[in-house]
Amino acid sequence: MVKKEEAPFAGSISDQSWVLSSLEHDQLVRAKKHPIPRRHLKGPELVVLWGLRIYLLFMMAVVVYQVWTAAR
C-alpha cells in the first residue's frame, strides 16, 4: 500500500506560524521552496499575451522615434 505524502505543515495556521518562526534561515528556505509547474495557457490567454507583446514592440518603436526626432 502506498502512503500519500502529506504537506510539510498540515496543522492549523497558528501551528504553522510557530513552526516557521522557529526554523533557521536555511531550514525556512527549504520549507518554503515548492516547485511550481508550468501553466498551459488557453486561446484567449495566449491572444492577450501576444497582444501585449505586440503593443510593447509598438511602444518601443514610438519611444525610439520620439528620441530620434528630439535629438535632431
Side-chain angles (χ1 to χ4, degrees):
M1 185 169 154
V2 178
K3 183 179 177 183
K4 185 176 179 183
E5 187 175 322
E6 295 180 13
F9 306 114
S12 69
I13 299 297
S14 62
D15 292 340
Q16 289 179 18
S17 63
W18 180 81
V19 169
L20 290 176
S21 67
S22 65
L23 293 176
E24 293 183 13
H25 179 69
D26 60 333
Q27 293 171 328
L28 180 64
V29 169
R30 195 173 332 115
K32 287 186 172 182
K33 194 176 206 178
H34 297 286
I36 300 173
R38 224 175 239 268
R39 183 171 178 202
H40 298 285
L41 300 176
K42 296 180 176 99
E45 297 162 337
L46 287 174
V47 169
V48 168
L49 288 176
W50 276 106
L52 288 171
R53 290 174 182 150
I54 292 169
Y55 175 75
L56 177 65
L57 291 173
F58 173 73
M59 291 309 294
M60 287 173 58
V62 168
V63 169
V64 167
Y65 175 74
Q66 290 295 322
V67 169
W68 182 67
T69 56
R72 292 189 335 144

